[in-house]
Amino acid sequence: MSDPSVDDGVKTSAPAWADRAADRSRSVQRSRARSVEQAKVIVAAARRLLQTEGATLTTQELSKEAGIALQTFYRHFPSKDQLLLAVFEDFVSERLAELEAGARDLPDPVHRLRFYIEGVLRSVAEPGGVGQRFVTAEHWRLHQLFPVEMQQVNQPYADLIERELRAAAEAGSLRPNDPATDAWLVMKLVMSVVHHVAFAPMEDGADVIERVWAFCLSAFGGSASGGTRLGDRGAAVTKGR
């Protein structure tokens, strides 16, 4: 009988129990926690620099801003593009959390749906400078290089819209054709307006925002009186940082 500990030249993956044992290791847990914290520091530093540096941001500047060695950066992110994917995901997650918190007390799904659509548009109604233009330009470049990853970055917003569309349909307030597809189309419409505004600020932002909502409401079979206008509370909650 051959000794199973002898390497016969065939590479095999670690058994599941070995992975579980490693996960329970305190040293592994500490190392993972430390790595997560370092990654957060890097992403936070990137977000700060992107507001002023935009496309000129270098990994050397980033490592200095984050207070880490360049080698540490590359241990967490193989390239600047991988970092930008993380930055986009972090930004979208943060903004959606703000939107959900702001809509928590709104009375019905149509009100919340309007808040989610108008809120994103209102947050970029004013020109955002270098950072906003950079995000727009990089979004499409990254979408070409990493279409699956970028879809994953943006999908949570579509999921948020879909949830309210389904709730409104159940309540009899709206009649979406296909909530998942309709939500995806809303996401693309909102993104297009946001990206347009980054380079061509709206002369009458409030009117454009109202028209976008009216267009969506009509598409969902809702009445012109559905929803409420976003007041100061909504504008404050959704204002970009």
Side-chain angles (χ1 to χ4, degrees), residues 27-93:
S27 63
V28 169
Q29 291 172 358
R30 286 195 298 269
S31 177
R32 182 173 296 151
R34 184 165 56 251
S35 180
V36 168
E37 286 305 312
Q38 285 183 330
K40 289 180 178 179
V41 168
I42 294 170
V43 169
R47 289 185 60 172
R48 290 193 300 271
L49 287 176
L50 287 175
Q51 291 301 315
T52 56
E53 302 300 325
T56 64
L57 171 67
T58 66
T59 53
Q60 288 80 8
E61 291 172 329
L62 179 60
S63 60
K64 181 179 180 180
E65 176 72 17
I68 60 171
L70 194 58
Q71 295 88 336
T72 302
F73 167 81
Y74 284 114
R75 279 203 301 269
H76 290 83
F77 300 100
S79 67
K80 192 167 75 171
D81 283 347
Q82 292 292 338
L83 169 64
L84 291 176
L85 287 172
V87 167
F88 273 56
E89 184 175 352
D90 189 63
F91 176 79
V92 170
S93 177

Side-chain angles (χ1 to χ4, degrees), residues 144-157:
Q144 289 180 310
L145 298 174
F146 308 99
V148 174
E149 290 83 351
M150 286 301 293
Q151 174 62 25
Q152 292 172 344
V153 166
N154 295 317
Q155 187 60 39
Y157 181 65

Side-chain angles (χ1 to χ4, degrees), residues 114-214:
R114 183 170 191 169
F115 185 87
Y116 295 147
I117 292 173
E118 290 192 355
V120 172
L121 297 175
R122 193 175 296 275
S123 69
V124 295
E126 297 179 359
V130 173
Q132 190 171 310
R133 292 193 296 272
F134 174 79
V135 167
T136 295
E138 287 299 288
H139 180 279
W140 295 114
R141 186 183 69 82
L142 290 174
H143 191 79
Q144 289 180 310
L145 298 174
F146 308 99
V148 174
E149 290 83 351
M150 286 301 293
Q151 174 62 25
Q152 292 172 344
V153 166
N154 295 317
Q155 187 60 39
Y157 181 65
D159 292 341
L160 196 63
I161 298 297
E162 180 184 351
R163 185 183 72 194
E164 301 304 342
L165 281 176
R166 292 188 182 279
E170 290 178 4
S173 304
L174 298 178
R175 300 187 303 277
N177 180 51
D178 178 348
T181 301
D182 290 350
W184 183 84
L185 290 171
V186 169
M187 176 186 72
K188 290 299 183 181
L189 172 61
V190 171
M191 285 171 54
S192 295
V193 175
V194 167
H195 292 163
H196 173 82
V197 172
F199 290 93
M202 296 182 288
E203 294 183 2
D204 189 350
D207 181 65
V208 171
I209 292 170
E210 187 73 18
R211 287 174 181 271
V212 171
W213 166 245

